[in-house]
Amino acid sequence: MKSTTVDRHTSLLNLAKTLSFLVVFVAGVVVGMTASSQINRYFVSQTKLYFYNNMNNHFSAVQIPNHASRNCTSRMNLTNRLPDVELFWRASMVPKRAEFPFKRVPKVAFMFLTRGPLPMIPLWERFFEGHREYFSIYVHALPGFELNVSTDSVFYESQIPSKMVRWGTVELADAERRLLANALLDFSNQRFVLLSESCIPIYNFRTVYKYLINSDYSFVESYDEPTRYGRGRYNRNMMPDITLQQWRKGSQWFELSRELAVNIVADIRYYTLFRKYCKPSCYPDEHYIQTFLNMFYGSLNANRSVTWVDWSMGGPHPATLEAVNITQGFIQRLRNNGTECRYNSEKTSVCYLFARKFAPSALEPLLNLTSKVMEY
């Protein structure tokens, strides 16, 4: 009996120890969970506090756009020096939706390819006056040159990052594509015209704008030249991608629709061939766009230039027009010289909108004729 009693007490003691251990363990778990919850709340609250403080600081320094007044006229800062490959990639993006979710006024992009100063700026400013929402200006000059104009000039902050351009090399075509790409970043730009520092408009802005915006075609001169100055510049290493039968020549001074401008900037395959095989004296600026459009988009091209040039003197460069050449009759003949061309498949006597090549000395007599002859 005594042994049995001792065993019973021992069992009860062990049970009590086990229960005490369980109570202490459960209490520890409860305390641990409570402490962990408090710690998590502390860190979460601190994280939220840090996040909201920083977000408030961020938004206090950023202007929130007014979507009600967006009109798609903003464009990437022209001082941003994107590598060409990234610039062309951005510019070749096309929205899948045809409709714009905001007001869009179609604009004409005037792209000036120049070595340095633009002596005809006073004439162009008179031409652009009163039409600010209908045009954009882009200037590609030699590296190191800075266009010096007043802050109220339409040419202010129009200069794009540039690279060296040597006449007769593929660098000219590079510069043209660089101008197109910068202009394409603004979705308001619908038409794209390439100009030089010696170009002038021979009609007023309203006439030029209506002519280009309403055109069903682009204006790029592209023809087969069966001489050493045309077919003779073709390199057989371009076969089979580009054949001699597809090879074309034409004026560098083009005018393009947005669709064709995007396709030219997006092209890698054919431009690479020109870069590799169109060496002096091949002149890529006279052959690349002309051949590319002939191969793929001939039906969208009027196959003529809207920039008048005087080649009557012969040689590799057109005649330069000085002050002595500028008369009322001369400008009137540029505007209507008796020839006819086609505009949207109909005959017209208005074939040229611009003219070159004018020397700086021609500026003063041209300014005297703007209101009387050119109507601006």
Side-chain angles (χ1 to χ4, degrees), residues 90-189:
R90 288 176 181 269
S92 60
M93 292 183 179
V94 178
K96 290 294 185 181
R97 288 192 173 189
E99 303 83 11
F100 288 88
F102 36 74
K103 178 184 176 183
R104 177 183 183 267
V105 177
K107 297 191 296 185
V108 176
F110 293 82
M111 309 178 302
F112 291 85
L113 180 56
T114 176
R115 295 182 179 88
L118 296 172
M120 297 297 164
I121 278 184
L123 191 73
W124 282 102
E125 287 182 330
R126 190 174 293 184
F127 167 79
F128 287 126
E129 188 175 357
H131 307 284
R132 192 64 187 92
E133 65 178 309
Y134 298 103
F135 68 89
S136 319
I137 299 175
Y138 302 84
V139 178
H140 188 294
L142 293 179
F145 173 79
E146 292 187 11
L147 190 63
N148 185 19
V149 294
S150 62
T151 55
D152 60 349
S153 170
V154 292
F155 283 84
Y156 182 67
E157 293 188 339
S158 62
Q159 201 168 344
I160 69 169
S162 64
K163 293 184 180 180
M164 180 57 67
V165 175
R166 289 169 293 184
W167 182 79
T169 70
V170 75
E171 293 167 357
L172 268 172
D174 288 338
E176 292 172 0
R177 281 158 54 94
R178 205 171 292 125
L179 280 163
L180 282 173
N182 275 277
L184 283 167
L185 295 179
D186 184 346
F187 278 91
S188 294
N189 289 328

Side-chain angles (χ1 to χ4, degrees), residues 322-333 365-366 369 373:
E322 305 282 352
V324 67
N325 303 115
I326 310 304
T327 65
Q328 181 174 332
F330 173 72
I331 298 298
Q332 286 175 337
R333 286 193 298 274
L366 284 170
L369 294 173
V373 183

Side-chain angles (χ1 to χ4, degrees), residues 159-374:
Q159 201 168 344
I160 69 169
S162 64
K163 293 184 180 180
M164 180 57 67
V165 175
R166 289 169 293 184
W167 182 79
T169 70
V170 75
E171 293 167 357
L172 268 172
D174 288 338
E176 292 172 0
R177 281 158 54 94
R178 205 171 292 125
L179 280 163
L180 282 173
N182 275 277
L184 283 167
L185 295 179
D186 184 346
F187 278 91
S188 294
N189 289 328
Q190 187 66 28
R191 308 290 298 202
F192 306 78
V193 56
L194 182 68
L195 303 157
S196 74
E197 70 272 18
S198 64
C199 284
I200 68 164
I202 58 177
Y203 285 93
N204 61 33
F205 184 87
R206 289 182 181 274
T207 301
V208 171
Y209 180 84
K210 183 180 178 181
Y211 195 101
L212 298 180
I213 290 294
N214 293 332
S215 175
D216 297 332
Y217 302 94
S218 294
F219 298 95
V220 180
E221 186 181 55
S222 176
Y223 59 90
D224 178 25
E225 174 61 67
T227 69
R228 64 189 181 95
Y229 301 109
R231 294 184 190 176
R233 297 174 179 176
Y234 173 75
N235 189 320
R236 296 187 180 277
N237 288 313
M238 293 183 173
M239 294 179 64
D241 296 287
I242 303 173
T243 67
L244 179 61
Q245 289 70 34
Q246 295 168 324
W247 184 256
R248 291 295 183 270
K249 180 183 178 180
S251 170
Q252 170 188 7
W253 311 105
F254 59 74
E255 193 283 332
L256 295 169
S257 66
R258 186 174 184 91
E259 178 186 354
L260 296 192
V262 168
N263 286 314
I264 287 169
V265 167
D267 173 46
I268 296 176
R269 180 176 182 176
Y270 299 96
Y271 191 70
T272 300
L273 291 174
F274 272 85
R275 173 173 286 280
K276 188 174 181 181
Y277 297 116
C278 189
K279 305 285 187 179
S281 55
C282 174
Y283 308 111
D285 57 297
E286 294 183 358
H287 293 282
Y288 166 62
I289 291 178
Q290 297 79 356
T291 299
F292 184 75
L293 295 189
N294 175 61
M295 292 174 65
F296 302 107
Y297 306 101
S299 62
L300 301 179
N301 183 25
N303 200 22
R304 64 181 177 89
S305 175
V306 287
T307 300
W308 178 89
V309 184
D310 180 9
W311 288 102
S312 62
M313 303 296 291
H317 301 287
T320 299
L321 302 165
E322 305 282 352
V324 67
N325 303 115
I326 310 304
T327 65
Q328 181 174 332
F330 173 72
I331 298 298
Q332 286 175 337
R333 286 193 298 274
L334 292 184
R335 289 162 56 93
N336 189 349
N337 59 10
T339 60
E340 288 187 338
C341 57
R342 291 200 169 270
Y343 176 80
N344 289 348
S345 302
E346 295 183 0
K347 287 184 178 181
T348 179
S349 60
V350 179
C351 299
Y352 298 108
L353 304 177
F354 313 98
R356 67 185 299 268
K357 179 177 182 181
F358 290 86
S361 65
L363 176 61
E364 194 63 34
L366 284 170
L367 288 172
N368 294 332
L369 294 173
T370 55
S371 59
K372 190 174 183 179
V373 183
M374 295 180 278

Side-chain angles (χ1 to χ4, degrees), residues 9-131:
H9 281 293
T10 300
S11 297
L12 290 173
L13 183 60
N14 289 336
L15 179 61
K17 287 180 180 181
T18 301
L19 290 173
S20 298
F21 172 78
L22 290 173
V23 169
V24 171
F25 175 76
V26 170
V29 170
V30 171
V31 171
M33 291 178 65
T34 303
S36 175
S37 176
Q38 293 297 324
I39 292 171
N40 285 341
R41 281 200 197 98
Y42 172 77
F43 282 110
V44 169
S45 64
Q46 292 299 309
T47 300
K48 288 182 178 179
L49 182 61
Y50 175 81
F51 173 77
Y52 288 124
N53 284 341
N54 280 275
M55 288 300 287
N56 287 334
N57 291 337
H58 171 74
F59 283 110
S60 65
V62 175
Q63 288 186 339
I64 299 176
N66 182 0
H67 292 281
S69 63
R70 279 183 72 187
N71 62 1
C72 198
T73 59
S74 61
R75 58 182 179 176
M76 181 173 288
N77 189 338
L78 294 183
T79 61
N80 288 340
R81 293 187 172 274
L82 294 176
D84 281 353
V85 63
E86 183 178 347
L87 175 64
F88 298 157
W89 174 75
R90 288 176 181 269
S92 60
M93 292 183 179
V94 178
K96 290 294 185 181
R97 288 192 173 189
E99 303 83 11
F100 288 88
F102 36 74
K103 178 184 176 183
R104 177 183 183 267
V105 177
K107 297 191 296 185
V108 176
F110 293 82
M111 309 178 302
F112 291 85
L113 180 56
T114 176
R115 295 182 179 88
L118 296 172
M120 297 297 164
I121 278 184
L123 191 73
W124 282 102
E125 287 182 330
R126 190 174 293 184
F127 167 79
F128 287 126
E129 188 175 357
H131 307 284

